[in-house]
């Protein structure tokens, strides 16, 4: 069971930074993860993210990861370099990145949910802003907005892991 992971306690939430940045990527796992494998990955991610002031959400449909990372630009890009070199990932592609005004997933060092293939396909084919630097005020694009809505639905339905 991987349902025992709740949001970040208020006393431990990351501090606000003027250098907030996010990055959304997709990748294929090199091996399918069962619940135990996903739980192990999440525990590792949450420890790392808590130590580096990162938040975000990981969605997994059994064949594809989609993850949003939020934090300082230095921390986000350093973690993305680690992920790109991690043998558990292949076909890593950044689909959105840029400065942001606020975190979309501030309550989660790493929220996670399994999603159906149809939901993942909707997210994959959404309009993503490859580089948002030109958007006024670092506003989220349509893809990130859809990802946030998807996460909100999962939280309300108690599907969040």
């Amino acid at each position: 069971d991987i349902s025992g992971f709740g949001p970040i306690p208020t006393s431990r939430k990351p501090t606000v930074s003027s250098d907030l940045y996010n990055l959304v990527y997709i990748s294929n796992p090199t091996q399918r993860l069962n619940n135990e494998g996903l739980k192990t990955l999440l525990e590792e991610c949450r420890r790392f993210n808590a130590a580096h002031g990162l938040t975000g959400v990981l969605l997994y449909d059994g064949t594809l990861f989609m993850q949003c990372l939020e934090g300082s630009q230095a921390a986000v890009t350093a973690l993305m370099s680690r992920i790109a070199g991690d043998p558990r990932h292949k076909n890593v592609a950044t689909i959105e990145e840029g400065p942001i005004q606020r975190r979309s997933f501030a309550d989660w060092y790493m929220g996670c949910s399994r999603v159906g293939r149809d939901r993942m396909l909707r997210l994959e084919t959404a309009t993503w802003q490859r580089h948002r630097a030109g958007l006024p005020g670092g506003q989220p694009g349509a893809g990130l907005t859809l990802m946030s809505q998807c996460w909100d639905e999962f939280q309300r339905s108690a599907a969040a892991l």
Side-chain angles (χ1 to χ4, degrees):
D1 179 19
I2 49 178
S3 61
F5 295 100
I8 299 170
T10 304
S11 63
R12 296 183 50 212
K13 286 190 180 179
T15 57
V16 174
S17 167
S18 61
D19 178 35
L20 279 178
Y21 194 82
N22 89 340
L23 184 146
V24 180
Y25 75 90
I26 56 174
S27 72
N28 298 107
T30 53
Q31 294 182 333
R32 284 185 75 103
L33 293 176
N34 59 20
N35 282 355
E36 194 58 39
L38 192 55
K39 181 179 177 182
T40 300
L41 176 65
L42 288 173
E43 289 170 348
E44 176 187 327
C45 291
R46 288 175 175 148
R47 277 191 303 273
F48 183 90
N49 290 359
H52 294 90
L54 294 162
T55 57
V57 167
L58 174 71
L59 303 178
Y60 177 60
D61 74 353
T63 63
L64 188 74
F65 289 123
M66 179 177 285
Q67 183 172 15
C68 177
L69 303 169
E70 305 169 322
S72 72
Q73 184 172 356
V76 168
T77 56
L79 178 54
M80 189 60 204
S81 293
R82 281 179 50 147
I83 291 167
D86 188 322
R88 296 174 290 192
H89 294 270
K90 63 182 179 182
N91 306 321
V92 178
T94 299
I95 58 174
E96 179 160 320
E97 68 177 308
I100 54 175
Q101 289 183 335
R102 66 176 185 81
R103 295 171 191 257
S104 295
F105 308 104
D107 292 339
W108 297 86
Y109 285 127
M110 185 48 53
C112 179
S113 184
R114 288 185 182 269
V115 297
R117 183 65 198 135
D118 58 331
R119 171 87 48 161
M120 188 65 85
L121 187 58
R122 283 186 31 225
L123 286 162
E124 281 182 89
T125 58
T127 303
W128 292 90
Q129 304 295 325
R130 178 70 172 91
H131 296 281
R132 275 197 323 278
L135 290 180
Q139 295 299 312
L144 185 60
T145 299
L146 182 61
M147 190 176 196
S148 294
Q149 290 168 350
C150 178
W151 182 248
D152 290 344
E153 288 173 24
F154 291 137
Q155 285 184 282
R156 282 192 302 273
S157 69
L161 306 179

